Amino acid sequence: MEYRRFGSTKRDVAVIGQGTWHLEQADRASAIAALQTGLDLGMTHVDTAELYGSGEVELIVGEAIAGRRHEVFLVSKVLPQNASRRGTLAACERSLRRLKTDWLDCYLLHWPGEHPLEDTVAAFEALQQEGKIASWGVSNFDVGDLEALALIGAGAHAVCNQVLYHLKQRAIEHAVLPWCEARGLAVVGYSPFGSGRFPGARTEGGRVLAEIAAAHGATPRQVALRFLVRRPSVFTIPKASTPEHARENAGAGDLRLSDEDIARIDRAFPRGRSRSLPVL
Ligand code: NAP
């Protein structure tokens, strides 16, 4: 597994991490085994949220990481409707309880909402001072949202922006990604397999991925994940409900694509023209 510096934190974080959305719908033992297999193989960046399964997924994650909390770069998210100053503090306490931990490595605002950003940031800063979170960031922030954040004094303390990024959705490459890179924010790409809509083997793009994969003794999904983290600021968090899927995804951590491979994928999945940030 490759690790790289996560924004302005002093942590090196696995480039391929683990998502957990909808994990409560999987067989519980399988979901826990998937997360633990992922940890065994170095996918120590675990992404969750109070939203997922209305807290049920944080309970599953808590069970999966029990006894090995120090291995994990644990991320959770506050819902925008809870992200007032007091609401954020309370939401964090609930997440910590469900995750059975004393701290989060990073705490995110899930998407921009109705509460003043200043209040959410003030809560994040307070949580950080208390040691309940080691860092904080945002999610689904377009350039305008990031600009608004930058105008808040402590806004510069954000360490990442988690955004939609997969082969068929590359809009962040136009504006969001350059903005984050210029200011040292990590970019965490979510839904790297298009949330289950991975390019089919019979499509033109699918064939390109298969050819490149065969040349590396890898799989099309591993090639896709590696392509997504080709820039040094980017991380990705595929979600897997089985140990087999987790094992395959972790295999992308050591894959290396040539410049020619990357150019072929770039042509097969053009980034398109839209500059605005899509959300799932
Ligand atoms: P995803 O990771 O793009 O795709 C997940 C789907 O791919 C599942 O159906 C999974 O099946 C399947 N899969 C995973 N590994 C596989 C493999 N090796 N072979 C075949 N199929 C495989 O979708 P996602 O869950 O939407 O995104 C990933 C994570 O990003 C989420 O879980 C969440 O943590 C985060 N996220 C954040 C936001 C946000 O607003 N910040 C939004 C969406 C997602 P199985 O479940 O059967 O393994």
Side-chain angles (χ1 to χ4, degrees):
M1 179 55 61
E2 183 192 338
Y3 296 79
R4 51 177 69 145
R5 198 43 61 102
F6 193 80
S8 56
T9 70
K10 297 194 169 51
R11 289 287 296 275
D12 289 330
V13 171
V15 292
I16 316 290
Q18 306 195 74
T20 63
W21 192 24
H22 295 319
L23 212 52
E24 82 286 0
Q25 293 170 17
D27 173 80
R28 193 178 178 97
S30 176
I32 289 172
L35 286 168
Q36 292 177 336
T37 300
L39 293 183
D40 294 343
L41 298 172
M43 291 197 294
T44 47
H45 176 181
V46 177
D47 178 78
T48 191
E50 62 170 337
L51 170 72
Y52 301 164
S54 304
E56 184 60 29
V57 171
E58 287 182 325
L59 291 170
I60 293 170
V61 171
E63 208 173 320
I65 67 173
R68 50 198 306 188
R69 172 69 187 88
H70 284 277
E71 291 172 43
V72 183
F73 186 81
L74 184 59
V75 180
S76 192
K77 314 184 194 79
V78 59
L79 276 167
Q81 58 264 38
N82 290 340
S84 63
R85 191 182 164 125
R86 280 175 51 192
T88 302
L89 300 177
C92 184
E93 293 294 343
R94 290 194 298 271
S95 287
L96 291 175
R97 255 198 315 277
R98 285 190 290 259
L99 289 160
K100 295 194 180 64
T101 184
D102 297 331
W103 84 101
L104 296 172
D105 294 290
C106 196
Y107 197 32
L108 311 183
L109 174 59
H110 210 143
W111 62 87
E114 64 271 25
H115 289 292
L117 205 45
E118 290 82 351
D119 294 354
T120 314
V121 169
F124 283 161
E125 291 281 306
L127 287 166
Q128 195 168 3
Q129 270 158 26
E130 289 173 49
K132 291 184 174 167
I133 64 174
S135 66
W136 62 267
V138 293
S139 178
N140 297 301
F141 268 45
D142 207 341
V143 169
D145 307 310
L146 291 164
E147 298 279 7
L149 178 65
L151 290 177
I152 300 168
H157 298 167
V159 300
C160 68
N161 187 16
Q162 187 182 118
V163 287
L164 180 62
Y165 189 40
H166 58 82
L167 291 178
K168 294 191 273 188
Q169 185 43 266
R170 296 175 55 193
I172 63 161
E173 293 180 26
H174 291 290
V176 171
L177 181 55
W179 195 100
C180 291
E181 284 188 346
R183 288 153 187 88
L185 268 78
V187 172
V188 179
Y190 71 69
S191 303
F193 299 141
S195 215
R197 288 181 294 279
F198 191 71
R202 293 198 187 145
T203 62
E204 206 178 312
R207 274 194 290 274
V208 168
L209 293 177
E211 279 173 30
I212 294 171
H216 288 277
T219 70
R221 278 188 171 76
Q222 290 172 338
V223 169
L225 291 175
R226 196 68 227 183
F227 176 82
L228 295 173
V229 297
R230 71 199 180 285
R231 298 190 64 84
S233 61
V234 182
F235 299 76
T236 189
I237 45 169
K239 169 258 190 177
S241 311
T242 65
E244 292 71 29
H245 285 173
R247 199 167 290 117
E248 178 178 349
N249 300 344
D254 295 317
L255 179 64
R256 293 292 175 277
L257 297 176
S258 67
D259 291 346
E260 195 190 324
D261 294 333
I262 287 173
R264 277 190 76 193
I265 300 167
D266 181 51
R267 284 195 299 273
F269 299 94
R271 44 158 120 154
R273 292 194 177 178
S274 172
R275 299 175 65 84
S276 61
L277 180 69
V279 293
L280 207 62

